[in-house]
């Protein structure tokens, strides 16, 4: 039982931090993708 608690303590924290960072980055990636799509559309309209 002590080994299991130690394992969760040692591995659980890095997993929680990783999930938190992935969730934060996901929103920024969606925003970046939207901005790139808008830029592409703007460039296409300027060429016509």
């Amino acid at each position: 039982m002590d080994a299991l608690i130690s394992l969760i303590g040692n591995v659980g924290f890095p997993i929680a931090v990783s999930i938190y960072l992935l969730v934060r980055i996901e929103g920024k990636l969606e925003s970046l993708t939207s901005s790139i799509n808008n830029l592409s559309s703007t460039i296409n309209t300027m060429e016509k």
Side-chain angles (χ1 to χ4, degrees), residues 2-47:
D2 289 335
L4 181 62
I5 292 173
S6 177
L7 180 66
I8 292 172
N10 290 335
V11 179
F13 179 73
I15 290 172
V17 170
S18 298
I19 291 171
Y20 172 73
L21 291 174
L22 286 172
V23 168
R24 280 191 50 165
I25 291 173
E26 180 183 2
K28 292 180 182 182
L29 285 175
E30 289 175 1
S31 174
L32 182 60
T33 302
S34 175
S35 296
I36 290 172
N37 288 335
N38 289 338
L39 179 61
S40 177
S41 297
T42 303
I43 290 173
N44 285 334
T45 58
M46 290 176 67
E47 290 178 352

